[in-house]
Amino acid sequence: GYLREPLWWIGMVSMIVGEVANFAAYAFAPAIVVTPLGALSIVVSAILAHHFLNEKLNIFGMVGCAQCIAGSVVITMHAPEEREISGVNEVFLLALQPDFLLYAFSAVGAALYLIFKVAPKYGKTHIFVNIGICSLFGSLSVISCKALGMAIKMTFEGNNQFKYPVTYFCVLVVACCVVIQINYLNKALDLFNSAIVSPIYYVMFTVLVIIASTIMFKEEQTTTQVTTQFCGFVTIVTGTFILHMTKDMDLTGALVGFNAKGSGPVARFKGKDEELPILSPKENKETL
């Protein structure tokens, strides 16, 4: 089976290393910066699939990749300063702020309502149900991951944070939230096309993480920083949707201007014989 394939093990080890690095990033940078940059994994996956799995990256995919990279650079260049945290106990005090408690209870309450009331009736027909559950619990797991990452970082620096019960509470929250996320994300992927699930999940998850992080840590930002980061995020979202929605589109004739029949460029989806015509210059003039 695949367990005997060296390439599979290389991929598995690479994925584990990447997740560990992503977890560590929360200890060194604000969550509102780390989470949007997760879109770069989509770009790397698309490029590797193009070279190693023969999944051709068309012109729209290249545009989507370029937008994700451009948006990531913009967000990184205008990131807010990291707030100084003395330990996990301070994070716990920040979590006890009334505004964050309101968000946390609202997120858990909304997620439980979706799980027990909405999902049994509409989970198989409405894509936002399962993705909404993942995103709500995901925003809380990121906050706990940040606290846990900072605890590990400080422990390595000589300030042991594992002597405090709060650290183990963060571990429990992360474990519970991740299990729920994996469960409902798999349900969403089983019921709906991954080309739709992935970008919607990315947008909902990122927006909720930014809201939760902003409420809890209250990083000081200027109006210019907020506006620029918003533009960068919108650019990433647009690129992500373009990359996913056009990944199965094979643009035959797009570069030479005509298809085999000489009637202009066409878009063909993989595995289908149907061709979707793209307007030729003549047809464009008639349309205008």
Side-chain angles (χ1 to χ4, degrees), residues 14-278:
S14 300
M15 185 179 70
I16 293 173
V17 172
E19 290 302 320
V20 171
N22 184 61
F23 172 78
Y26 284 107
F28 296 94
I32 61 176
V33 175
V34 176
T35 305
L37 293 182
L40 290 178
S41 64
I42 301 173
V43 176
V44 175
S45 298
I47 294 174
L48 292 178
H50 176 77
H51 289 287
F52 296 102
L53 301 179
N54 293 322
E55 296 182 6
K56 299 303 180 183
L57 190 64
N58 57 42
I59 187 64
F60 291 122
M62 295 178 186
V63 171
C65 288
Q67 285 190 274
C68 289
I69 294 172
S72 300
V73 171
V74 170
I75 290 178
T76 304
M77 291 179 62
H78 296 85
E81 292 291 332
E82 177 72 47
R83 176 171 179 167
E84 292 292 334
I85 302 292
S86 60
V88 290
N89 286 330
E90 184 179 348
V91 176
F92 184 69
L93 292 176
L94 291 174
L96 293 179
Q97 297 174 109
D99 48 357
F100 184 77
L101 285 177
L102 177 62
Y103 172 82
F105 283 117
S106 300
V108 173
L112 292 177
Y113 178 78
L114 290 174
I115 291 174
F116 295 108
K117 293 292 184 180
V118 181
K121 293 182 179 179
Y122 305 105
K124 294 183 179 180
T125 56
H126 291 71
I127 191 172
F128 291 100
V129 176
N130 291 318
I131 296 179
I133 296 170
C134 295
S135 302
L136 288 167
F137 278 108
S139 64
L140 299 178
S141 70
V142 166
I143 298 298
S144 299
C145 275
K146 182 171 180 61
L148 187 58
M150 294 173 63
I152 295 174
K153 173 189 172 184
M154 291 179 180
T155 300
F156 277 114
E157 292 175 348
N159 184 7
N160 185 15
Q161 298 294 305
F162 283 88
K163 61 184 179 182
Y164 303 114
V166 176
T167 304
Y168 299 97
F169 177 73
C170 291
V171 174
L172 179 62
V173 172
V174 170
C176 293
C177 290
V178 167
V179 169
I180 295 173
Q181 280 180 264
I182 293 174
N183 180 35
Y184 283 93
L185 183 57
N186 284 333
K187 287 184 178 182
L189 291 171
D190 286 339
L191 294 170
F192 305 97
N193 192 325
S194 62
I196 304 297
V197 172
S198 296
I200 292 178
Y201 175 60
Y202 169 77
V203 173
M204 292 183 66
F205 173 70
T206 304
V207 168
L208 289 174
V209 168
I210 291 174
I211 292 173
S213 179
T214 302
I215 293 174
M216 183 171 181
F217 294 103
K218 297 179 174 64
E219 287 101 346
E220 295 184 2
Q221 299 186 72
T222 63
T223 305
T224 303
Q225 282 182 304
V226 174
T227 304
T228 307
Q229 288 183 53
F230 176 76
C231 293
F233 176 65
V234 171
T235 303
I236 293 176
V237 170
T238 305
T240 302
F241 268 92
I242 292 175
L243 188 58
H244 278 85
M245 297 300 293
T246 63
K247 69 176 184 178
D248 291 326
M249 184 181 289
D250 183 17
L251 296 177
T252 59
L255 297 180
V256 298
F258 296 93
N259 63 3
K261 299 178 181 179
S263 58
V266 297
R268 181 186 297 126
F269 286 89
K270 295 177 182 177
K272 298 182 180 180
D273 294 329
E274 182 182 3
E275 291 183 345
L276 301 179
I278 300 175

